[in-house]
Amino acid sequence: MTARSEGRTRRAVVAGAVCVLVVTGSGFLTGCGEDPDAGTNGVGKLSADTIQSRTRTAARSASAVRLAGDVVTNGRTYRLDMRLKPEGATGSVTSKGVAFGLLRIGGRLYLKAGAGFWNHADGDHGTSAAGKLDGKYVKVPQGDPAYKKFSGFTDKDVLLEGLLALHGSLATDGHHEQAGTRTIRITGDKGSGGTLDVSLEGRPYPLRLQRAGGAGTLTFSAWDKDFTLAEPGKDETVDYGKQLPAS
C-alpha cells in the first residue's frame, strides 16, 4: 500500500469514528452526509410559518389526543392530564395541591372531587356539602360560572387553538426527538415566544410545547387513538341544582 492510499484509509477511518459519535450523541443522523429529513413527512424542509400552519391544521382534524403537563395562567398553575375528542373529554386537573376530575359528554359536564375540594365552599353549604359531594360525579349546570371555567379544559378545539400559538417571529431550531419520535422544532422570538416540537413521522402533530414566558410545558400523545366516554351511574352522580357551591 502506498503512502497516499494509507492516508486516504486513515482519513476514512477517522471520519467514520466521528460519524459514529455524532449519531450516538444525538440519537439521529445530523452529519456524515445524511439527510435528517430522509424518510420523514417532509415538513422539516418547510418554513416555520408553514410548519405551524400545518401542525395546527393536523391538530384540529385529529379525532383524539392526550394532553399532559402544566399551564400557568393569571399566576396560577394547573396540571392537566386530559384525553380529548370533539364529542367530549375525560381526565384530571390539579391546582394548589387539590385534584379534581372532569368528564364531558356532549354538553353535559361532570366534576368529581374529594371533600378537600368542596370544603372551600362558601355560604351555608360548608362541610355538609363536602360530605354529600365527596367522590361523586357532580353535574355542573350550564348556567353556573364553574361550567364556563372548567369546560374549557374539556374542549379539544378551544384548548388546542389557544395553546398552540407561538408568539413573535417564527424560526426553525433544528431536528430533535420526543418520546422516540423525530421532530422539527419551531420557536417564537428565538424561544422567548415559546417552542413547539412537531412530528416528522406520519401527520405533523404537535408533540411538545413550551409556552412563552415560562407559562408551562405540555406534551401531546395518543393522537387519533379513540377512548370511551361513559355516563356515570346514577348512584355515582349528584345533581346539585342550578348552582354549585363556590370553590
Side-chain angles (χ1 to χ4, degrees):
M1 182 180 293
T2 66
R4 180 176 296 178
S5 62
E6 286 181 355
R8 285 198 300 266
T9 301
R10 187 179 300 109
R11 286 194 295 272
V13 170
V14 171
V18 171
C19 182
V20 169
L21 289 174
V22 170
V23 173
T24 304
S26 65
F28 48 86
L29 293 173
T30 56
C32 317
E34 295 289 341
D35 180 0
D37 292 300
T40 72
N41 55 24
V43 298
K45 297 180 178 181
L46 304 176
S47 70
D49 292 274
T50 302
I51 295 171
Q52 183 182 52
S53 176
R54 292 200 179 183
T55 195
R56 294 181 78 168
T57 297
R60 281 195 298 269
S61 63
S63 60
V65 63
R66 181 178 182 179
L67 180 156
D70 295 333
V71 172
V72 182
T73 179
N74 296 323
R76 188 166 183 171
T77 300
Y78 296 91
R79 175 159 292 178
L80 310 180
D81 189 353
M82 299 294 302
R83 298 200 69 176
L84 308 143
K85 56 184 178 179
E87 56 268 39
T90 183
S92 65
V93 180
T94 303
S95 180
K96 293 186 177 180
V98 178
F100 55 94
L102 292 173
L103 170 65
R104 182 177 64 81
I105 304 174
R108 298 179 301 282
L109 176 66
Y110 300 92
L111 191 156
K112 183 179 182 181
F117 178 90
W118 297 110
N119 271 335
H120 295 287
D122 64 358
D124 298 326
H125 303 294
T127 58
S128 63
K132 181 180 179 181
L133 306 179
D134 181 23
K136 298 288 187 179
Y137 285 94
V138 180
K139 189 173 183 180
V140 182
Q142 291 193 10
D144 190 284
Y147 188 94
K148 182 178 181 180
K149 180 177 182 179
F150 294 134
S151 63
F153 291 127
T154 69
D155 190 312
K156 170 183 170 287
D157 290 340
V158 169
L159 195 57
L160 292 181
E161 190 70 21
L163 290 173
L164 293 178
L166 299 178
H167 303 286
S169 178
L170 301 184
T172 56
D173 187 29
H175 292 69
H176 299 267
E177 186 176 294
Q178 173 63 31
T181 299
R182 288 180 292 172
T183 66
I184 181 71
R185 181 171 296 169
I186 57 176
T187 66
D189 279 346
K190 299 181 179 179
S192 63
T195 67
L196 182 65
D197 281 34
V198 177
S199 177
L200 288 174
E201 302 176 18
R203 300 201 68 194
Y205 288 128
L207 297 184
R208 184 180 184 275
L209 169 70
Q210 186 171 333
R211 301 182 72 209
T217 301
L218 294 158
T219 60
F220 307 87
S221 61
W223 287 102
D224 290 320
K225 293 184 179 180
D226 196 18
F227 57 94
T228 300
L229 289 171
E231 293 278 358
K234 289 185 177 181
D235 59 336
E236 301 176 282
T237 308
V238 174
D239 188 340
Y240 206 78
K242 294 184 179 181
Q243 189 169 6
L244 298 181
S247 177

